Amino acid sequence: MIRWSVLLLLIVCLQTGLAQAPSRVLPFIHFSDEREEKSFNKLLEEPTADDVLTVLLLTDLDRKGIPVDDARRRLALFIHGHKERKGAALSEKHLRQIFNEVQSTFLVRYDAQALFGDLFTKGDFNCVTASALFALILNDLDIPYGIHLTPDHMYLATMVQGDPAVIETTDPVRGVFVVSQRARKKYVQEILRAKRISHGQIDSLGLDGALATLVTNDTVIDLRATVGTHYHNAGVFAADHDLQKGIDQLAKAYMLHASPHTKELLQLALLRQVEQLSYETFEDVRFLLDTYAFIEPPTMDRHIPTDHARLLDKHLIHRGDTAFVNSILDAFLELPRSEEARRKIRFQHHVEMGRYHALKRQWDPAVEHLLIAYSIEPDHVQVSALVTEALVHRLDRLPDRSSYVAHLDELVAMHPELKGTPGIQHCYQIVYLIAAEDHFNIDERRKAEMFLKKFEALYEREEDLPVNAVARAYIAGWRSWARARDSDKARNYLSRGLKIAPFNEDLHRASRYSTY
């Protein structure tokens, strides 16, 4: 039996027309027919009743035998039979006549899983499809109505000569119920005795206004949202046996009626699909990211770097597809996520790219990627060691190791975020020290001293120093000046070296030797 409080909501909640829908079509929506897509897109803008009918009929083309044109003709013929009453005040007699004719013409058997097209093939119906049918008929006859949605039901409401009336489509016997003024007054006395309403509320709001405040469970929706609810049901029916189809239908439902329940079911369906991804193609990546973009942060933030790492492992470590990996990075960084999540993704991308190029003995890109990673995580000891290792390997393959200074300058110009970071400073120090050592070894003392001074200008903390490179550079200076028989300058280089690396054994051993 219809609850009194639900009936009383009808007094103030009648509506017709179509409300504003979300503007962005969700990227994982697929359409089964061009007509469906065209009419669906019009539903998002300025739809007509014919667009509503078309989308309802084409919701599931897998259900064979839906005669779209025939359905239009049958519905138009039915409405034409009542055209003489169009615009006239609705009487209870006329409402019951429409109701009974709809029941005998279209509604044959109740089926919870029926879709709108079934009305015109088998006569199967449920509260959503039958309510949508009634709404289209009332809409065409210019009869004001409201479509009411509860958590588990849909019905219609209208006004009959000043009294609210319910159209309960699933009850062929008592499906039209008019709430008279006398009935409302009687109900008032009942709820006054139950102290659910006060005389003051009735005095200030009026009888109907006070009664309407008692109702909280119903949502009054428009034709667009009704189509969305129809898609919602279609998605629920489909998801168990065809997950992708279920996602399509639920996504369309959410676009037309963004209810929390539809959103929750769509999120669950998307996550089920994500679990089945092979991570093989960029389409998989796009679907994954579209899913994360739909689910509001921070719900899935911790999973994003994990999925990115899985893609790196599959496509970089095992396949060496650097172009694919770079496109993955760009796509992940487009996600509307926190800066922290984006930082983690950038870091692991550049670390793995650096390692990959190092394994391939491609030292220039290895240094570049590892430096960028080190600039993102300047306290990461392992990355610091990898930068040094890759740099030394690269320098060992250069005939003029001092020329790498220019390459570092180019890296900073290409990646301004590297400027002044510990990683790039560390690389400059190593190159300056090695360049000084090389030039001292061939007694080009002026150039060697220039590189040493550049190194000393960058020197800040002992723990950041490449100690062995320090010792080799200053010992090379000591030996060069020793060959030039200038013992004072030779000893000066050892002293300068010990100030920077006071515990280095090679420097201490050299300082004990006599020079001439």
Side-chain angles (χ1 to χ4, degrees):
M1 182 175 178
I2 304 281
R3 291 173 297 132
W4 271 100
S5 58
V6 171
L7 293 175
L8 294 166
L9 181 66
L10 313 181
I11 297 165
V12 293
C13 289
L14 292 182
Q15 71 170 37
T16 57
L18 294 145
Q20 187 62 39
S23 59
R24 187 176 71 89
V25 176
L26 297 175
F28 28 75
I29 288 180
H30 303 89
F31 295 95
S32 55
D33 182 274
E34 289 183 4
R35 294 169 296 171
E36 181 195 10
E37 181 175 8
K38 181 179 178 181
S39 294
F40 183 91
N41 289 331
K42 288 178 68 177
L43 278 182
L44 299 177
E45 299 169 359
E46 297 182 3
T48 64
D50 187 64
D51 296 319
V52 172
L53 176 60
T54 299
V55 174
L56 285 169
L57 288 169
L58 298 176
T59 295
D60 189 354
L61 281 183
D62 290 345
R63 299 200 177 193
K64 304 298 183 185
I66 299 175
V68 176
D69 294 332
D70 181 58
R72 276 203 184 93
R73 182 188 59 78
R74 288 180 60 192
L75 186 57
L77 187 63
F78 181 92
I79 293 170
H80 181 75
H82 295 268
K83 281 292 186 182
E84 72 280 0
R85 301 300 304 270
K86 184 171 182 176
L90 182 66
S91 67
E92 183 176 347
K93 179 181 178 180
H94 185 209
L95 178 60
R96 291 187 184 280
Q97 180 185 357
I98 294 173
F99 179 84
N100 291 332
E101 288 186 19
V102 169
Q103 290 283 339
S104 61
T105 305
F106 298 104
L107 310 185
V108 177
R109 183 176 69 93
Y110 180 84
D111 181 359
Q113 296 194 11
L115 293 180
F116 191 81
D118 297 332
L119 289 167
F120 301 92
T121 54
K122 301 179 289 184
D124 290 351
F125 70 96
N126 54 39
C127 63
V128 173
T129 62
S131 293
L133 177 65
F134 267 98
L136 287 168
I137 293 169
L138 296 178
N139 191 74
D140 210 292
L141 295 174
D142 292 336
I143 297 174
Y145 66 92
I147 305 170
H148 288 249
L149 181 65
T150 73
D152 57 2
H153 189 50
M154 182 182 288
Y155 62 94
L156 281 82
T158 187
M159 298 295 288
V160 175
Q161 297 174 329
D163 290 327
V166 168
I167 303 172
E168 174 52 78
T169 60
T170 58
D171 187 345
V173 178
R174 295 172 297 177
V176 175
F177 186 82
V178 180
V179 189
S180 67
Q181 180 76 3
R182 179 182 175 185
R184 298 202 298 278
K185 287 181 178 179
K186 181 179 178 180
Y187 183 61
V188 165
Q189 298 304 315
E190 293 178 6
I191 60 175
L192 279 171
R193 284 194 295 270
K195 296 182 179 181
R196 294 180 57 204
I197 197 169
S198 68
H199 288 285
Q201 287 176 294
I202 295 175
D203 292 339
S204 62
L205 299 174
L207 174 64
D208 293 340
L211 292 175
T213 63
L214 300 174
V215 184
T216 58
N217 292 333
D218 283 26
T219 302
V220 182
I221 62 175
D222 62 4
L223 276 172
R224 177 190 285 118
T226 303
V227 179
T229 306
H230 185 243
Y231 270 124
H232 174 105
N233 286 352
V236 172
F237 304 154
D240 285 339
H241 64 272
D242 188 339
L243 184 56
Q244 182 56 60
K245 184 176 177 181
I247 289 171
D248 288 341
Q249 306 293 55
L250 288 170
K252 295 169 194 172
Y254 185 75
M255 287 299 302
L256 299 174
H257 183 216
S259 73
H261 185 46
T262 300
K263 183 174 184 178
E264 181 181 0
L265 289 179
L266 177 56
Q267 288 177 345
L268 291 173
L270 289 169
L271 292 175
R272 281 176 58 195
Q273 185 78 330
V274 165
E275 291 175 356
Q276 299 175 18
L277 293 179
S278 64
Y279 292 74
E280 288 289 340
T281 66
F282 197 77
E283 285 71 25
D284 287 346
V285 177
R286 192 72 270 168
F287 183 88
L288 177 71
L289 297 183
D290 287 340
T291 298
Y292 285 150
F294 179 71
I295 300 174
E296 296 176 0
T299 307
M300 303 300 296
D301 278 10
R302 64 187 179 88
H303 295 279
I304 295 174
T306 303
D307 283 319
H308 180 248
R310 181 175 176 181
L311 285 161
L312 286 176
D313 181 70
K314 178 181 282 282
H315 292 279
L316 181 64
I317 306 305
H318 291 95
R319 298 180 182 175
D321 192 345
T322 56
F324 189 85
V325 168
N326 285 329
S327 64
I328 289 172
L329 175 66
D330 293 338
F332 267 82
L333 293 181
E334 289 175 3
L335 273 177
R337 281 309 194 256
S338 67
E339 189 57 38
E340 175 64 16
R342 292 162 62 87
R343 186 188 61 79
K344 287 181 179 178
I345 290 167
R346 289 182 65 243
F347 175 74
Q348 64 189 20
H349 169 84
H350 289 293
V351 168
E352 295 307 324
M353 286 287 281
R355 285 175 167 162
Y356 169 78
H357 286 296
L359 289 171
K360 295 291 184 179
R361 299 188 179 278
Q362 299 165 348
W363 301 111
D364 279 341
V367 171
E368 179 178 352
H369 283 287
L370 291 169
L371 272 175
I372 294 172
Y374 194 28
S375 72
I376 298 169
E377 291 277 5
D379 296 324
H380 202 290
V381 176
Q382 185 180 9
V383 174
S384 174
L386 289 173
V387 169
T388 302
E389 181 181 357
L391 178 62
V392 170
H393 278 295
R394 179 66 185 106
L395 293 175
D396 286 345
R397 285 156 178 77
L398 288 175
D400 177 9
R401 297 194 287 183
S402 65
S403 66
Y404 204 73
V405 172
H407 181 72
L408 293 177
D409 292 339
E410 291 174 4
L411 281 182
V412 173
M414 289 170 54
H415 305 284
E417 69 272 18
L418 293 178
K419 187 175 182 179
T421 60
I424 197 70
Q425 299 291 76
H426 186 75
C427 288
Y428 273 118
Q429 286 183 12
I430 291 175
V431 176
Y432 289 151
L433 288 170
I434 289 176
E437 177 189 357
D438 290 348
H439 285 87
F440 275 131
N441 286 340
I442 58 175
D443 293 331
E444 290 185 355
R445 302 181 188 92
R446 183 173 296 178
K447 279 190 176 180
E449 178 63 18
M450 177 192 70
F451 285 118
L452 269 188
K453 285 182 176 178
K454 287 185 176 183
F455 160 75
E456 290 171 351
L458 290 178
Y459 162 66
E460 290 182 358
R461 297 181 302 174
E462 181 180 342
E463 57 267 28
D464 292 336
L465 291 175
V467 177
N468 291 333
V470 170
R472 288 196 300 270
Y474 284 96
I475 289 173
W478 165 65
R479 286 174 176 160
S480 179
W481 284 105
R483 288 193 293 273
R485 298 180 181 276
D486 190 329
S487 59
D488 290 337
K489 287 185 177 180
R491 287 195 180 94
N492 177 261
Y493 279 95
L494 293 177
S495 298
R496 285 163 66 184
L498 285 168
K499 285 181 181 179
I500 296 171
F503 302 108
N504 183 266
E505 292 183 3
D506 291 335
L507 285 169
H508 279 286
R509 191 179 300 112
S511 68
R512 291 194 293 269
Y513 293 160
S514 60
T515 59
Y516 52 89

